Amino acid sequence: YGVDKYDIGEGFGHFGIANEDVYKLAENIKSKGGNITREPGPVKGGSTVIAFAKDPDGYQFALIQTAETPEPLCQVMLRVAVHAHIMIYCLWSYRPFGMKLFRKKDVPNYKYTIAKLGYIDEDTTTVLELIYNYGVTKYSKGNAYAQVAIGTNDVYKSAEAVDLATKELGGKILRQPGPLPGINTKITSFVDPDGWKVSNEPVDHGTLDHDHSYSDNWTWNSGSWLTTLTSSRSSSEDRTPRYYTECFGMKLLRKRDVPDEKYTNAFLGFGPEDTNFALELTYNYGVDKYDIGEGFGHFAIANEDVYKLAENIKSKGGKITREPGPVKGGSTVIAFAQDPDGFLFELIQRAETPEPLCQVMLRVGDLDRSIKFYEKALGMKLLRKKDVPDYKYTIAMLGYADEDKTTVLELTYNYGRTEYTKGNAYAQVAIGTNDVYKSAEAVDLATKELGGKILRQPGPLPGINTKIASFVDPDGWKVVSRPSMLCC
């Protein structure tokens, strides 16, 4: 009461409103006595029509012409004071809240860089737009813009993630999580590395649990998944690779013999290693048998005609352990094949896909813990989760894109089972990253919270410049992070 003026400051930029006809909207604003500070028209160097309006208190609103959207109030723009904060803030924002970096654009002609972050696509939800203006290291914040509030399913867990992020990247907890005086609503608040205030508030929505990820979305590159499994031979080391090429239609991508270490590698897949998932088969001289164990489930191959694929496998002497047919209670056609070393392959009938080698299935003892680990440590998304009480198991699919476009990790929990033998046949999954060191930091935080262990600190392999790190997840499954071929 009684305050008639506020200072907006230099750091706050604008809000954004999406509208199907910005020209009409601007005219309406002017007809009501509103202030249009930039007339409607295409952006410089582009075709998107925008305008700017100023409200009675001086707040700027970008009016953006776009098709109908479920969230017209589509942007909050804040300026950050240090160039590095564009990426630091992406990391920092992602870790507490699970935001995604949608895009980053440098505009040298106008001396600024922007980054857009959020939870879904830019055209379906509100996004945070961060702007760095070349050479500007400090902005006044005034006293008008207060904060942004982000919904969470668990204020306490969110605060834990925020606390870890502030210790590593800057910022400060302002209010520890707890109920507001006189009411039961629990909140927490803090400032980011640039001093912008954020509050966490409860939501009733089960899908908005974006509150605790340590992994930065840009670090992990899904295009360079590489699974390694240890294989063997009986009469010929070429037997298993030949099975994969003849029965499954894979290509032998390369082969490497290392006589000093007494092993041979064969790399197989449906496309080049720099764009596709690949299997690495390792033959250790003189070893003719391995134990697959109980924990490893299967690999999966997508194919347009599983009936025909199964017939081809049988014609080459391969073993089909489950004949083609619809899954129980559904319509998807599947089959199962077993390779010469006992590894199972699920064959899934699916329209043409860019990645036929589409799944790795592992069994875990605590599904929720494993989901959190792969989300936080590796930046994976939970694509779907399904409980099958009739058969007493639950599955979760995780990955970096939709199931029909990339390889996914399938985690299976069998009711009441907390441990599995792992044998010595399946070795590891390897995931490409743009920065092995930053990836290892995220993994380290996740292992401290959820379990698992760093096996090899990030660094170059002896004698070569390739940098890797390795660790085991809470169930003991080994993962290697290495530079992505897509970004080398």
Side-chain angles (χ1 to χ4, degrees):
Y1 291 2
V3 181
D4 59 7
K5 191 174 182 181
Y6 289 92
D7 174 21
I8 292 176
E10 307 163 312
F12 177 80
H14 60 256
F15 298 104
I17 293 177
N19 189 275
E20 293 179 82
D21 190 336
V22 164
Y23 293 96
K24 186 176 177 181
L25 177 59
E27 285 303 314
N28 181 63
I29 291 168
K30 287 190 282 188
S31 74
K32 307 293 185 185
N35 185 5
I36 295 295
T37 58
R38 195 265 202 197
E39 291 292 333
V43 295
K44 291 177 181 177
S47 58
T48 302
V49 173
I50 68 165
F52 273 88
K54 187 185 285 189
D55 81 358
D57 291 292
Y59 284 100
Q60 293 275 5
F61 282 75
L63 313 177
I64 305 165
Q65 189 153 302
T66 185
E68 186 178 0
T69 172
E71 184 45 83
L73 194 53
C74 62
Q75 277 182 17
V76 178
M77 191 276 263
L78 304 174
R79 295 182 178 94
V80 292
V82 180
H83 182 253
H85 282 189
I86 282 284
M87 216 59 233
I88 287 173
Y89 197 104
C90 295
L91 287 170
W92 193 90
S93 297
Y94 186 83
R95 292 179 184 188
F97 302 120
M99 287 189 183
K100 304 171 190 173
L101 175 61
F102 293 134
R103 59 188 175 101
K104 183 184 171 190
K105 184 180 180 183
D106 191 38
V107 188
N109 291 342
Y110 295 94
K111 297 184 179 179
Y112 70 88
T113 303
I114 67 170
K116 302 256 183 131
L117 300 100
Y119 295 109
I120 316 178
D121 300 323
E122 285 183 64
D123 58 352
T124 55
T125 189
T126 310
V127 300
L128 182 63
E129 179 179 331
L130 302 177
I131 291 199
Y132 165 69
N133 291 294
Y134 293 6
V136 181
T137 58
K138 192 173 183 181
Y139 293 96
S140 65
K141 294 194 169 52
N143 59 358
Y145 174 80
Q147 64 190 32
V148 63
I150 297 179
T152 173
N153 289 346
D154 190 323
V155 168
Y156 295 92
K157 285 188 182 293
S158 299
E160 290 172 12
V162 170
D163 186 53
L164 288 169
T166 57
K167 287 174 181 174
E168 181 185 355
L169 297 163
K172 182 182 177 183
I173 299 283
L174 299 177
R175 186 190 194 281
Q176 292 296 332
L180 288 167
I183 59 175
N184 195 39
T185 302
K186 299 176 179 68
I187 72 161
T188 183
S189 64
F190 50 91
V191 291
D192 77 2
D194 286 282
W196 295 113
K197 185 178 175 184
V198 182
S199 70
N200 252 182
E201 302 178 4
V203 291
D204 297 326
H205 221 280
T207 60
L208 292 180
D209 188 10
H210 303 302
D211 53 14
H212 43 281
S213 177
Y214 304 132
S215 172
D216 43 285
N217 192 47
W218 60 274
T219 295
W220 297 101
N221 191 315
S222 60
S224 287
W225 271 55
L226 174 71
T227 286
T228 303
L229 64 89
T230 305
S231 187
S232 63
R233 73 171 184 180
S234 51
S235 59
S236 168
E237 68 184 73
D238 293 326
R239 178 190 61 162
T240 303
R242 188 170 64 247
Y243 173 90
Y244 288 158
T245 56
E246 292 181 357
C247 292
F248 294 146
M250 293 186 194
K251 299 172 184 174
L252 178 61
L253 304 172
R254 60 188 172 101
K255 196 172 179 181
R256 177 179 63 188
D257 189 36
V258 188
D260 290 345
E261 302 291 332
K262 297 183 179 179
Y263 71 87
T264 301
N265 290 137
F267 296 81
L268 298 105
F270 290 96
E273 288 177 68
D274 59 350
T275 57
N276 288 75
F277 187 92
L279 289 175
E280 179 186 348
L281 304 179
T282 300
Y283 164 68
N284 292 295
Y285 294 6
V287 181
D288 60 7
K289 190 174 182 182
Y290 291 91
D291 173 22
I292 292 177
E294 307 164 311
F296 177 81
H298 60 259
F299 298 103
I301 294 174
N303 189 275
E304 293 180 82
D305 190 336
V306 164
Y307 293 95
K308 185 176 178 181
L309 177 59
E311 285 304 313
N312 179 66
I313 291 167
K314 288 190 282 189
S315 74
K316 305 292 185 183
K319 185 178 180 181
I320 296 295
T321 59
R322 194 267 201 196
E323 291 292 332
V327 295
K328 290 177 181 177
S331 59
T332 303
V333 173
I334 67 165
F336 273 88
Q338 190 171 51
D339 82 358
D341 292 293
F343 284 100
L344 284 172
F345 282 76
E346 182 178 9
L347 314 177
I348 304 171
Q349 191 150 302
R350 184 181 288 172
E352 188 176 359
T353 172
E355 185 46 83
L357 196 51
C358 60
Q359 280 181 18
V360 180
M361 192 277 260
L362 303 174
R363 297 182 177 94
V364 297
D366 183 333
L367 187 59
D368 289 337
R369 178 187 64 183
S370 295
I371 291 169
K372 289 178 183 176
F373 181 86
Y374 283 97
E375 287 177 330
K376 293 184 175 189
L378 302 179
M380 289 186 183
K381 303 172 191 173
L382 176 60
L383 304 173
R384 64 184 173 99
K385 185 179 177 185
K386 183 180 180 182
D387 189 38
V388 188
D390 289 346
Y391 294 94
K392 297 183 179 179
Y393 71 88
T394 306
I395 63 168
M397 300 285 193
L398 296 103
Y400 297 102
D402 296 334
E403 286 182 61
D404 59 348
K405 293 181 174 63
T406 189
T407 309
V408 299
L409 182 64
E410 178 180 338
L411 302 178
T412 297
Y413 167 70
N414 291 295
Y415 291 8
R417 189 77 185 266
T418 58
E419 287 189 9
Y420 295 92
T421 62
K422 293 191 172 53
N424 60 358
Y426 173 80
Q428 64 198 29
V429 63
I431 298 180
T433 172
N434 290 344
D435 190 323
V436 169
Y437 296 93
K438 287 188 183 295
S439 301
E441 291 172 13
V443 170
D444 186 52
L445 288 169
T447 58
K448 287 174 181 174
E449 180 192 354
L450 296 163
K453 182 182 178 183
I454 299 283
L455 299 177
R456 186 187 195 283
Q457 293 295 333
L461 288 167
I464 59 176
N465 196 38
T466 303
K467 297 176 179 68
I468 71 163
S470 64
F471 54 93
V472 290
D473 75 3
D475 287 280
W477 295 112
K478 185 178 175 183
V479 180
V480 171
S481 63
R482 61 168 179 77
S484 168
M485 294 180 183
L486 293 178
C487 58
C488 293

